[in-house]
Amino acid sequence: MPAQPTRDQVERFVVETLVDCGAERDEIHTDATFDELEIDSLDLVDLGQSVSKEFQIKLRPKDLDDVKSVGEALDVICAVAGAK
């Protein structure tokens, strides 16, 4: 079983994935909304799949359905991953 990721590891990975989806790195912070970053629902599905694969967790697409900001996404992902 893989070691649990830290919140910092998850955050770095999420930032890199959002940049890959087209967000500007300097605009990504915990209070930034996905609308502000121009991240759409398909990008969020990609984010969820990438996180699931990277950290070997079971993050379902619906886990991110009501998430509106980077910080909310980090909280959900970290909860599922058991990150501290």
Side-chain angles (χ1 to χ4, degrees), residues 3 27 55-56 84:
E27 295 178 6
F55 298 110
Q56 299 178 359
K84 298 180 186 207

Side-chain angles (χ1 to χ4, degrees), residues 7-25:
R7 186 173 178 94
D8 286 343
Q9 289 172 318
V10 172
E11 186 168 352
R12 282 192 300 271
F13 185 80
V14 166
V15 168
E16 289 304 317
T17 303
L18 292 175
V19 168
D20 289 346
C21 289
E24 296 292 326
R25 185 181 304 278

Side-chain angles (χ1 to χ4, degrees), residues 32-84:
T33 67
F34 293 117
D35 284 341
E36 294 169 343
L37 298 174
E38 298 182 14
I39 297 296
D40 63 22
S41 59
L42 291 178
D43 293 327
L44 285 177
V45 169
D46 287 343
L47 173 64
Q49 290 174 341
S50 296
V51 166
S52 293
K53 185 175 180 180
E54 177 71 13
F55 298 110
Q56 299 178 359
I57 62 173
K58 293 196 185 289
L59 185 68
R60 301 167 301 181
K62 72 177 190 171
D63 291 337
L64 298 176
D65 276 355
D66 295 324
V67 170
K68 304 292 183 216
S69 70
V70 174
E72 289 174 3
L74 287 171
D75 289 345
V76 169
I77 294 165
C78 287
V80 171
K84 298 180 186 207

